[in-house]
Amino acid sequence: VLPGLLDRSRLETRDRAFATELVYGTTRMRRACDWVVDLHGRGRLDLNVRVSLRLGVYQLVFLGTPPHAAVSSTVDIAPARARSLVNAVLRRVASEPVSFPDEATALSYPDWVVERLSADLGPGPARVALEAMNRPPNVTVRADGYVQDLASQWVAAAVGVRLGDRVADLCAAPGGKATAMAHESAAVVAASDRNADRVGLISANAQRVRTTNVIALAADGTRPPYRSGSFQRVLVDAPCSGLGVLRRRPDARWRIEEADVDRLADLQRRLVDAAVPLLRPGGTLVYSVCTLTDAETVDVDRWVAERHPTLVPLPLPEGSWEAHGRGGRVLPQTADTDGMFILRFRAP
Ligand SMILES: C[S@@+](CC[C@H](N)C(=O)[O-])C[C@H]1O[C@@H](n2cnc3c(N)ncnc32)[C@H](O)[C@@H]1O
């Protein structure tokens, strides 16, 4: 919603950046803001009043906006009947230090995300990762002008595409990695995605970076429409819980549910199962996810080891990867990138 509103606004660059910070930041820190709002605002608040208060609290507690500016500008946009309430609550917030009741509230994540990452990464690294994902992402731009996180660029490079290769990218939309692979190597990339609406994005992005080597098509990656042994390289950049990219998607933490993790881990295995027969002898399979749960990373690797024992794991590719099982992981705090996991294999 926000980019459309900003495009139609007459705001200057600095004000656009501030509006973006307010919307993204308040969305990320919603739980923490609500806790502060509920501490001071008694009774049930209707949503418009609550949203005004969240915006004010975010500025006072997290953004360091001067209190008089945060309070008066928030009061100005609050519903008229609630202005004195908003004024009173925000003045109280501005005058008292906040102490949150627990880590999940202070860091503003659902309990299950904090618990799951603490169990899988260890409490220390999990906390640092969660803090890192409360900060806005770096913007990195490829040589061809495409905006893509560095860790995603490392994944595309790790596929090791060479001129003349045929490449299948089974979960390709919006085409970030497909266009990177096609551009770097001039190899032909069959870029498919199950979500037909998103396939158009692959073509549009290929056009934008001026490559004609990406063939975009709608197809379910668990039943790819290709003959066995057709590809030198296959990439499964699988749908995942996205717990490594929460800094980029401020609302994602409130939408993903713990039950999704197991469902996605099952889909990830089925995608790998469908990818293996597509490889030519000696071909390369890359599996990647932008998440940090064991279920979607090392557990998938353990399953591959049993299910496809002839696949030979390849060494860690270039990038800030640390060994994780037979694959590599980069945490959001390691190199200020998205959190990512990669497995690479050579077919017999
Ligand atoms: C992590 S995103 C891919 C990002 C893309 N590789 C890039 O670099 O721009 C995962 C994609 O998997 C797609 N997807 C989900 N289930 C699928 C399936 N069964 N077969 C193929 N694609 C699927 C989603 O629509 C989503 O676009």
Side-chain angles (χ1 to χ4, degrees), residues 146 148 169-178 192-195 198 219-222 235 237-240 267 271 290:
Y146 192 95
Q148 187 176 43
D169 180 347
L170 296 182
C171 305
K177 298 182 188 71
S192 55
D193 200 280
R194 187 183 58 183
N195 186 336
R198 284 167 60 80
D220 185 337
T222 63
L235 172 63
D237 186 35
C240 69
L267 175 57
L271 287 163
C290 55

PDB file of all heavy atoms in Angstrom, residues 146 148 169-178 192-195 198 219-222 235 237-240 267 271 290, ligand 1:
ATOM      1  N   TYR A 146      19.535  -4.478 -10.977  1.00  0.00           N
ATOM      2  CA  TYR A 146      18.496  -5.163 -10.196  1.00  0.00           C
ATOM      3  C   TYR A 146      18.833  -5.048  -8.708  1.00  0.00           C
ATOM      4  O   TYR A 146      19.986  -5.279  -8.314  1.00  0.00           O
ATOM      5  CB  TYR A 146      18.462  -6.639 -10.625  1.00  0.00           C
ATOM      6  CG  TYR A 146      17.258  -7.410 -10.132  1.00  0.00           C
ATOM      7  CD1 TYR A 146      16.123  -7.554 -10.927  1.00  0.00           C
ATOM      8  CD2 TYR A 146      17.256  -8.021  -8.874  1.00  0.00           C
ATOM      9  CE1 TYR A 146      15.025  -8.283 -10.480  1.00  0.00           C
ATOM     10  CE2 TYR A 146      16.164  -8.744  -8.422  1.00  0.00           C
ATOM     11  CZ  TYR A 146      15.052  -8.864  -9.242  1.00  0.00           C
ATOM     12  OH  TYR A 146      13.971  -9.585  -8.797  1.00  0.00           O
ATOM     13  N   GLN A 148      18.977  -6.503  -5.276  1.00  0.00           N
ATOM     14  CA  GLN A 148      18.926  -7.864  -4.731  1.00  0.00           C
ATOM     15  C   GLN A 148      19.873  -7.973  -3.547  1.00  0.00           C
ATOM     16  O   GLN A 148      21.025  -7.532  -3.617  1.00  0.00           O
ATOM     17  CB  GLN A 148      19.342  -8.867  -5.821  1.00  0.00           C
ATOM     18  CG  GLN A 148      19.163 -10.319  -5.407  1.00  0.00           C
ATOM     19  CD  GLN A 148      19.494 -11.274  -6.551  1.00  0.00           C
ATOM     20  OE1 GLN A 148      20.486 -11.089  -7.253  1.00  0.00           O
ATOM     21  NE2 GLN A 148      18.663 -12.290  -6.727  1.00  0.00           N
ATOM     22  N   ASP A 169      15.120 -23.317 -12.895  1.00  0.00           N
ATOM     23  CA  ASP A 169      14.888 -22.628 -11.623  1.00  0.00           C
ATOM     24  C   ASP A 169      13.419 -22.928 -11.298  1.00  0.00           C
ATOM     25  O   ASP A 169      12.509 -22.384 -11.919  1.00  0.00           O
ATOM     26  CB  ASP A 169      15.152 -21.138 -11.837  1.00  0.00           C
ATOM     27  CG  ASP A 169      14.949 -20.310 -10.581  1.00  0.00           C
ATOM     28  OD1 ASP A 169      14.385 -20.831  -9.616  1.00  0.00           O
ATOM     29  OD2 ASP A 169      15.348 -19.133 -10.586  1.00  0.00           O
ATOM     30  N   LEU A 170      13.213 -23.833 -10.338  1.00  0.00           N
ATOM     31  CA  LEU A 170      11.863 -24.401 -10.159  1.00  0.00           C
ATOM     32  C   LEU A 170      10.922 -23.527  -9.333  1.00  0.00           C
ATOM     33  O   LEU A 170       9.718 -23.769  -9.323  1.00  0.00           O
ATOM     34  CB  LEU A 170      11.958 -25.787  -9.513  1.00  0.00           C
ATOM     35  CG  LEU A 170      12.660 -26.873 -10.334  1.00  0.00           C
ATOM     36  CD1 LEU A 170      12.621 -28.203  -9.588  1.00  0.00           C
ATOM     37  CD2 LEU A 170      12.033 -27.024 -11.714  1.00  0.00           C
ATOM     38  N   CYS A 171      11.471 -22.566  -8.599  1.00  0.00           N
ATOM     39  CA  CYS A 171      10.633 -21.655  -7.792  1.00  0.00           C
ATOM     40  C   CYS A 171      11.165 -20.257  -8.068  1.00  0.00           C
ATOM     41  O   CYS A 171      11.868 -19.667  -7.258  1.00  0.00           O
ATOM     42  CB  CYS A 171      10.765 -21.972  -6.309  1.00  0.00           C
ATOM     43  SG  CYS A 171      10.393 -23.689  -5.908  1.00  0.00           S
ATOM     44  N   ALA A 172      10.842 -19.716  -9.218  1.00  0.00           N
ATOM     45  CA  ALA A 172      11.658 -18.634  -9.770  1.00  0.00           C
ATOM     46  C   ALA A 172      11.127 -17.228  -9.536  1.00  0.00           C
ATOM     47  O   ALA A 172      11.892 -16.267  -9.636  1.00  0.00           O
ATOM     48  CB  ALA A 172      11.839 -18.850 -11.265  1.00  0.00           C
ATOM     49  N   ALA A 173       9.833 -17.070  -9.283  1.00  0.00           N
ATOM     50  CA  ALA A 173       9.284 -15.702  -9.204  1.00  0.00           C
ATOM     51  C   ALA A 173       9.788 -14.981  -7.949  1.00  0.00           C
ATOM     52  O   ALA A 173       9.912 -15.623  -6.899  1.00  0.00           O
ATOM     53  CB  ALA A 173       7.757 -15.756  -9.183  1.00  0.00           C
ATOM     54  N   PRO A 174      10.101 -13.696  -8.046  1.00  0.00           N
ATOM     55  CA  PRO A 174       9.937 -12.787  -9.193  1.00  0.00           C
ATOM     56  C   PRO A 174      11.114 -12.781 -10.176  1.00  0.00           C
ATOM     57  O   PRO A 174      11.171 -11.886 -11.019  1.00  0.00           O
ATOM     58  CB  PRO A 174       9.808 -11.419  -8.505  1.00  0.00           C
ATOM     59  CG  PRO A 174      10.679 -11.541  -7.290  1.00  0.00           C
ATOM     60  CD  PRO A 174      10.555 -12.976  -6.830  1.00  0.00           C
ATOM     61  N   GLY A 175      12.010 -13.725 -10.052  1.00  0.00           N
ATOM     62  CA  GLY A 175      13.056 -13.828 -11.067  1.00  0.00           C
ATOM     63  C   GLY A 175      14.403 -13.249 -10.677  1.00  0.00           C
ATOM     64  O   GLY A 175      15.273 -13.074 -11.530  1.00  0.00           O
ATOM     65  N   GLY A 176      14.573 -12.956  -9.396  1.00  0.00           N
ATOM     66  CA  GLY A 176      15.849 -12.372  -8.956  1.00  0.00           C
ATOM     67  C   GLY A 176      17.032 -13.259  -9.312  1.00  0.00           C
ATOM     68  O   GLY A 176      17.984 -12.833  -9.962  1.00  0.00           O
ATOM     69  N   LYS A 177      16.957 -14.510  -8.894  1.00  0.00           N
ATOM     70  CA  LYS A 177      18.110 -15.397  -9.127  1.00  0.00           C
ATOM     71  C   LYS A 177      18.159 -15.837 -10.584  1.00  0.00           C
ATOM     72  O   LYS A 177      19.240 -15.989 -11.160  1.00  0.00           O
ATOM     73  CB  LYS A 177      18.060 -16.585  -8.177  1.00  0.00           C
ATOM     74  CG  LYS A 177      18.152 -16.114  -6.737  1.00  0.00           C
ATOM     75  CD  LYS A 177      18.164 -17.214  -5.740  1.00  0.00           C
ATOM     76  CE  LYS A 177      18.065 -16.663  -4.326  1.00  0.00           C
ATOM     77  NZ  LYS A 177      16.729 -16.106  -3.976  1.00  0.00           N
ATOM     78  N   ALA A 178      16.995 -16.042 -11.197  1.00  0.00           N
ATOM     79  CA  ALA A 178      16.976 -16.457 -12.613  1.00  0.00           C
ATOM     80  C   ALA A 178      17.647 -15.407 -13.488  1.00  0.00           C
ATOM     81  O   ALA A 178      18.471 -15.740 -14.352  1.00  0.00           O
ATOM     82  CB  ALA A 178      15.532 -16.684 -13.072  1.00  0.00           C
ATOM     83  N   SER A 192      10.462 -21.269 -13.710  1.00  0.00           N
ATOM     84  CA  SER A 192       9.038 -21.573 -13.503  1.00  0.00           C
ATOM     85  C   SER A 192       8.635 -21.273 -12.070  1.00  0.00           C
ATOM     86  O   SER A 192       9.454 -21.255 -11.158  1.00  0.00           O
ATOM     87  CB  SER A 192       8.774 -23.046 -13.831  1.00  0.00           C
ATOM     88  OG  SER A 192       9.621 -23.874 -13.081  1.00  0.00           O
ATOM     89  N   ASP A 193       7.341 -21.052 -11.905  1.00  0.00           N
ATOM     90  CA  ASP A 193       6.780 -20.822 -10.576  1.00  0.00           C
ATOM     91  C   ASP A 193       5.343 -21.321 -10.605  1.00  0.00           C
ATOM     92  O   ASP A 193       4.668 -21.235 -11.633  1.00  0.00           O
ATOM     93  CB  ASP A 193       6.818 -19.329 -10.218  1.00  0.00           C
ATOM     94  CG  ASP A 193       6.708 -19.087  -8.718  1.00  0.00           C
ATOM     95  OD1 ASP A 193       5.575 -19.142  -8.193  1.00  0.00           O
ATOM     96  OD2 ASP A 193       7.752 -18.867  -8.073  1.00  0.00           O
ATOM     97  N   ARG A 194       4.893 -21.843  -9.477  1.00  0.00           N
ATOM     98  CA  ARG A 194       3.529 -22.365  -9.447  1.00  0.00           C
ATOM     99  C   ARG A 194       2.501 -21.236  -9.477  1.00  0.00           C
ATOM    100  O   ARG A 194       1.393 -21.399  -9.978  1.00  0.00           O
ATOM    101  CB  ARG A 194       3.321 -23.198  -8.176  1.00  0.00           C
ATOM    102  CG  ARG A 194       1.975 -23.906  -8.165  1.00  0.00           C
ATOM    103  CD  ARG A 194       1.747 -24.651  -6.894  1.00  0.00           C
ATOM    104  NE  ARG A 194       1.813 -23.764  -5.734  1.00  0.00           N
ATOM    105  CZ  ARG A 194       1.704 -24.158  -4.488  1.00  0.00           C
ATOM    106  NH1 ARG A 194       1.540 -25.436  -4.216  1.00  0.00           N
ATOM    107  NH2 ARG A 194       1.765 -23.302  -3.497  1.00  0.00           N
ATOM    108  N   ASN A 195       2.890 -20.103  -8.939  1.00  0.00           N
ATOM    109  CA  ASN A 195       1.952 -18.995  -8.833  1.00  0.00           C
ATOM    110  C   ASN A 195       1.913 -18.226 -10.159  1.00  0.00           C
ATOM    111  O   ASN A 195       2.786 -17.412 -10.460  1.00  0.00           O
ATOM    112  CB  ASN A 195       2.426 -18.099  -7.677  1.00  0.00           C
ATOM    113  CG  ASN A 195       1.450 -16.985  -7.385  1.00  0.00           C
ATOM    114  OD1 ASN A 195       0.680 -16.590  -8.262  1.00  0.00           O
ATOM    115  ND2 ASN A 195       1.493 -16.485  -6.180  1.00  0.00           N
ATOM    116  N   ARG A 198       2.526 -14.562 -10.477  1.00  0.00           N
ATOM    117  CA  ARG A 198       3.897 -14.071 -10.251  1.00  0.00           C
ATOM    118  C   ARG A 198       4.822 -14.359 -11.428  1.00  0.00           C
ATOM    119  O   ARG A 198       5.924 -13.817 -11.488  1.00  0.00           O
ATOM    120  CB  ARG A 198       4.459 -14.692  -8.961  1.00  0.00           C
ATOM    121  CG  ARG A 198       3.866 -14.028  -7.714  1.00  0.00           C
ATOM    122  CD  ARG A 198       4.142 -14.817  -6.446  1.00  0.00           C
ATOM    123  NE  ARG A 198       5.545 -15.014  -6.140  1.00  0.00           N
ATOM    124  CZ  ARG A 198       6.350 -14.120  -5.571  1.00  0.00           C
ATOM    125  NH1 ARG A 198       5.868 -12.945  -5.239  1.00  0.00           N
ATOM    126  NH2 ARG A 198       7.614 -14.389  -5.310  1.00  0.00           N
ATOM    127  N   ALA A 219       4.463 -23.432 -13.628  1.00  0.00           N
ATOM    128  CA  ALA A 219       4.495 -24.880 -13.430  1.00  0.00           C
ATOM    129  C   ALA A 219       4.709 -25.179 -11.956  1.00  0.00           C
ATOM    130  O   ALA A 219       5.404 -24.439 -11.249  1.00  0.00           O
ATOM    131  CB  ALA A 219       5.623 -25.512 -14.247  1.00  0.00           C
ATOM    132  N   ASP A 220       4.092 -26.253 -11.513  1.00  0.00           N
ATOM    133  CA  ASP A 220       4.287 -26.720 -10.142  1.00  0.00           C
ATOM    134  C   ASP A 220       5.637 -27.437 -10.080  1.00  0.00           C
ATOM    135  O   ASP A 220       5.860 -28.409 -10.803  1.00  0.00           O
ATOM    136  CB  ASP A 220       3.141 -27.677  -9.783  1.00  0.00           C
ATOM    137  CG  ASP A 220       3.212 -28.115  -8.331  1.00  0.00           C
ATOM    138  OD1 ASP A 220       4.307 -28.066  -7.731  1.00  0.00           O
ATOM    139  OD2 ASP A 220       2.167 -28.513  -7.794  1.00  0.00           O
ATOM    140  N   GLY A 221       6.512 -26.935  -9.240  1.00  0.00           N
ATOM    141  CA  GLY A 221       7.862 -27.503  -9.144  1.00  0.00           C
ATOM    142  C   GLY A 221       7.880 -28.938  -8.638  1.00  0.00           C
ATOM    143  O   GLY A 221       8.889 -29.632  -8.794  1.00  0.00           O
ATOM    144  N   THR A 222       6.813 -29.385  -8.015  1.00  0.00           N
ATOM    145  CA  THR A 222       6.791 -30.794  -7.576  1.00  0.00           C
ATOM    146  C   THR A 222       6.446 -31.713  -8.745  1.00  0.00           C
ATOM    147  O   THR A 222       6.562 -32.926  -8.632  1.00  0.00           O
ATOM    148  CB  THR A 222       5.783 -31.027  -6.424  1.00  0.00           C
ATOM    149  OG1 THR A 222       4.458 -30.749  -6.898  1.00  0.00           O
ATOM    150  CG2 THR A 222       6.094 -30.142  -5.228  1.00  0.00           C
ATOM    151  N   LEU A 235      18.068 -25.255  -9.708  1.00  0.00           N
ATOM    152  CA  LEU A 235      17.953 -24.478  -8.470  1.00  0.00           C
ATOM    153  C   LEU A 235      16.561 -24.666  -7.878  1.00  0.00           C
ATOM    154  O   LEU A 235      15.565 -24.480  -8.568  1.00  0.00           O
ATOM    155  CB  LEU A 235      18.188 -22.980  -8.757  1.00  0.00           C
ATOM    156  CG  LEU A 235      17.899 -22.015  -7.589  1.00  0.00           C
ATOM    157  CD1 LEU A 235      18.814 -22.272  -6.398  1.00  0.00           C
ATOM    158  CD2 LEU A 235      18.041 -20.557  -8.052  1.00  0.00           C
ATOM    159  N   ASP A 237      14.915 -22.829  -5.080  1.00  0.00           N
ATOM    160  CA  ASP A 237      14.925 -21.711  -4.125  1.00  0.00           C
ATOM    161  C   ASP A 237      13.547 -21.743  -3.459  1.00  0.00           C
ATOM    162  O   ASP A 237      12.649 -20.996  -3.816  1.00  0.00           O
ATOM    163  CB  ASP A 237      15.167 -20.397  -4.885  1.00  0.00           C
ATOM    164  CG  ASP A 237      15.345 -19.216  -3.955  1.00  0.00           C
ATOM    165  OD1 ASP A 237      15.925 -19.397  -2.869  1.00  0.00           O
ATOM    166  OD2 ASP A 237      14.909 -18.109  -4.318  1.00  0.00           O
ATOM    167  N   ALA A 238      13.440 -22.631  -2.504  1.00  0.00           N
ATOM    168  CA  ALA A 238      12.122 -23.120  -2.084  1.00  0.00           C
ATOM    169  C   ALA A 238      11.311 -22.101  -1.282  1.00  0.00           C
ATOM    170  O   ALA A 238      11.884 -21.266  -0.573  1.00  0.00           O
ATOM    171  CB  ALA A 238      12.322 -24.373  -1.242  1.00  0.00           C
ATOM    172  N   PRO A 239       9.983 -22.195  -1.396  1.00  0.00           N
ATOM    173  CA  PRO A 239       9.132 -21.416  -0.490  1.00  0.00           C
ATOM    174  C   PRO A 239       9.448 -21.846   0.944  1.00  0.00           C
ATOM    175  O   PRO A 239       9.672 -23.023   1.204  1.00  0.00           O
ATOM    176  CB  PRO A 239       7.710 -21.810  -0.889  1.00  0.00           C
ATOM    177  CG  PRO A 239       7.830 -23.064  -1.682  1.00  0.00           C
ATOM    178  CD  PRO A 239       9.203 -23.080  -2.269  1.00  0.00           C
ATOM    179  N   CYS A 240       9.494 -20.878   1.843  1.00  0.00           N
ATOM    180  CA  CYS A 240       9.929 -21.187   3.215  1.00  0.00           C
ATOM    181  C   CYS A 240       9.258 -20.230   4.187  1.00  0.00           C
ATOM    182  O   CYS A 240       8.543 -19.320   3.776  1.00  0.00           O
ATOM    183  CB  CYS A 240      11.452 -21.084   3.311  1.00  0.00           C
ATOM    184  SG  CYS A 240      12.067 -19.390   3.162  1.00  0.00           S
ATOM    185  N   LEU A 267       6.843 -29.611   1.715  1.00  0.00           N
ATOM    186  CA  LEU A 267       6.877 -29.142   0.320  1.00  0.00           C
ATOM    187  C   LEU A 267       8.326 -29.047  -0.182  1.00  0.00           C
ATOM    188  O   LEU A 267       8.638 -29.420  -1.323  1.00  0.00           O
ATOM    189  CB  LEU A 267       6.174 -27.776   0.230  1.00  0.00           C
ATOM    190  CG  LEU A 267       6.189 -27.053  -1.112  1.00  0.00           C
ATOM    191  CD1 LEU A 267       5.574 -27.910  -2.217  1.00  0.00           C
ATOM    192  CD2 LEU A 267       5.421 -25.713  -1.006  1.00  0.00           C
ATOM    193  N   LEU A 271       9.889 -30.833  -3.474  1.00  0.00           N
ATOM    194  CA  LEU A 271      10.539 -30.081  -4.565  1.00  0.00           C
ATOM    195  C   LEU A 271      11.919 -30.668  -4.868  1.00  0.00           C
ATOM    196  O   LEU A 271      12.290 -30.826  -6.032  1.00  0.00           O
ATOM    197  CB  LEU A 271      10.642 -28.595  -4.187  1.00  0.00           C
ATOM    198  CG  LEU A 271       9.323 -27.818  -4.233  1.00  0.00           C
ATOM    199  CD1 LEU A 271       9.414 -26.500  -3.453  1.00  0.00           C
ATOM    200  CD2 LEU A 271       8.912 -27.527  -5.682  1.00  0.00           C
ATOM    201  N   CYS A 290      15.388 -18.827   2.567  1.00  0.00           N
ATOM    202  CA  CYS A 290      15.744 -17.603   3.296  1.00  0.00           C
ATOM    203  C   CYS A 290      15.158 -17.694   4.701  1.00  0.00           C
ATOM    204  O   CYS A 290      14.445 -16.810   5.140  1.00  0.00           O
ATOM    205  CB  CYS A 290      15.225 -16.376   2.554  1.00  0.00           C
ATOM    206  SG  CYS A 290      13.468 -16.417   2.212  1.00  0.00           S
TER     207      CYS A 290
HETATM  208  C1  LIG B   1      11.723 -17.851  -2.262  1.00  0.00           C
HETATM  209  S1  LIG B   1      10.534 -17.509  -3.480  1.00  0.00           S
HETATM  210  C2  LIG B   1      11.506 -17.543  -4.948  1.00  0.00           C
HETATM  211  C3  LIG B   1      12.347 -16.325  -5.176  1.00  0.00           C
HETATM  212  C4  LIG B   1      13.062 -16.328  -6.529  1.00  0.00           C
HETATM  213  N1  LIG B   1      13.850 -17.534  -6.707  1.00  0.00           N
HETATM  214  C5  LIG B   1      13.965 -15.125  -6.700  1.00  0.00           C
HETATM  215  O1  LIG B   1      15.174 -15.220  -6.499  1.00  0.00           O
HETATM  216  O2  LIG B   1      13.441 -14.057  -7.056  1.00  0.00           O
HETATM  217  C6  LIG B   1       9.646 -19.012  -3.579  1.00  0.00           C
HETATM  218  C7  LIG B   1       8.673 -19.109  -4.725  1.00  0.00           C
HETATM  219  O3  LIG B   1       8.154 -20.434  -4.742  1.00  0.00           O
HETATM  220  C8  LIG B   1       6.875 -20.387  -5.334  1.00  0.00           C
HETATM  221  N2  LIG B   1       6.218 -21.679  -5.068  1.00  0.00           N
HETATM  222  C9  LIG B   1       5.502 -22.084  -4.010  1.00  0.00           C
HETATM  223  N3  LIG B   1       5.117 -23.366  -4.156  1.00  0.00           N
HETATM  224  C10 LIG B   1       5.614 -23.797  -5.358  1.00  0.00           C
HETATM  225  C11 LIG B   1       5.563 -25.009  -6.086  1.00  0.00           C
HETATM  226  N4  LIG B   1       4.920 -26.081  -5.614  1.00  0.00           N
HETATM  227  N5  LIG B   1       6.171 -25.066  -7.273  1.00  0.00           N
HETATM  228  C12 LIG B   1       6.833 -23.993  -7.776  1.00  0.00           C
HETATM  229  N6  LIG B   1       6.903 -22.817  -7.134  1.00  0.00           N
HETATM  230  C13 LIG B   1       6.314 -22.722  -5.938  1.00  0.00           C
HETATM  231  C14 LIG B   1       6.248 -19.148  -4.735  1.00  0.00           C
HETATM  232  O4  LIG B   1       5.218 -18.666  -5.574  1.00  0.00           O
HETATM  233  C15 LIG B   1       7.461 -18.196  -4.667  1.00  0.00           C
HETATM  234  O5  LIG B   1       7.465 -17.346  -5.790  1.00  0.00           O
END
